[in-house]
Amino acid sequence: MESKISKPETQLAMLASMQAKKFMEIFVTIADTQRQSVHSFYRPNSTLLWNGILLKGREQIANGLKKLPGTKHTIETLDAQPIIRPNTFPHTSFVVTCTGTIKYGMKVKKSFHQHFVLERNPDKNTQDTTQYYILTHTFRYKDSKRKFS
């Protein structure tokens, strides 16, 4: 089957994957070792839907995440796709999807999946293509007992 994806779009997809990997490495490290600093990934217009609980804005997200015990994340899968918008600087945002396990303190590991929409951070140097903030973040435990019809 012949690909109809243009070379620039392929490059954007590859760039999104590289940036997602770097972002997740940094985000997970901060979340696991410096939870008090995780709020720096969010802005006042950000949202986090954590297992059905909606948190809006940097302050509410930071306060919600501070209540969680210490964590150890293991990322098992990671994917990213650029959000291509006409008439904007290429690749100003992208979607990141990942799965993995999380361990709270000494408790048993839980499987999770999460999604991010990352936007270029207007507070950072616009020439630095690695500086993004979380616009939306959805985190959900995988629950094999829960069935949807």
Side-chain angles (χ1 to χ4, degrees):
M1 177 181 273
E2 187 176 322
S3 174
K4 294 189 180 196
I5 299 174
S6 71
K7 187 170 182 161
E9 288 172 336
T10 301
Q11 291 172 340
L12 285 176
M14 290 174 54
L15 182 60
S17 293
M18 291 186 308
Q19 290 171 326
K21 183 177 180 192
K22 181 174 182 175
F23 169 80
M24 286 307 299
E25 288 170 354
I26 295 168
F27 180 80
V28 166
T29 299
I30 298 295
D32 287 348
T33 63
Q34 301 172 35
R35 177 77 51 79
Q36 72 281 3
S37 299
V38 80
H39 71 279
S40 64
F41 290 95
Y42 301 91
R43 294 182 52 83
N45 63 324
S46 298
T47 60
L48 167 60
L49 185 60
W50 190 85
N51 286 303
I53 301 168
L54 180 62
L55 303 171
K56 293 182 179 183
R58 177 187 285 165
E59 187 175 327
Q60 194 176 59
I61 293 168
N63 289 336
L65 293 176
K66 282 181 199 174
K67 294 176 184 176
L68 297 173
T71 57
K72 174 64 179 141
H73 289 80
T74 302
I75 303 300
E76 296 169 351
T77 65
L78 179 66
D79 186 40
Q81 297 295 318
I83 299 172
I84 300 171
R85 298 182 190 132
N87 303 320
T88 61
F89 183 81
H91 197 55
T92 58
S93 55
F94 56 100
V95 176
V96 178
T97 301
C98 72
T99 63
T101 59
I102 187 168
K103 186 173 183 180
Y104 294 100
M106 302 304 286
K107 295 184 178 181
V108 177
K109 291 180 185 179
K110 289 186 168 198
S111 294
F112 70 88
H113 62 94
Q114 63 184 343
H115 309 276
F116 299 89
V117 174
L118 302 179
E119 293 276 340
R120 185 177 305 283
N121 193 334
D123 297 337
K124 302 292 182 179
N125 178 349
T126 57
Q127 300 303 312
D128 185 350
T129 60
T130 64
Q131 300 299 317
Y132 290 87
Y133 76 94
I134 299 169
L135 178 63
T136 62
H137 179 187
T138 303
F139 178 96
R140 175 85 55 188
Y141 295 123
K142 293 181 186 179
D143 185 357
S144 60
K145 297 175 188 171
R146 187 172 186 175
K147 301 291 181 200
F148 293 95
S149 52

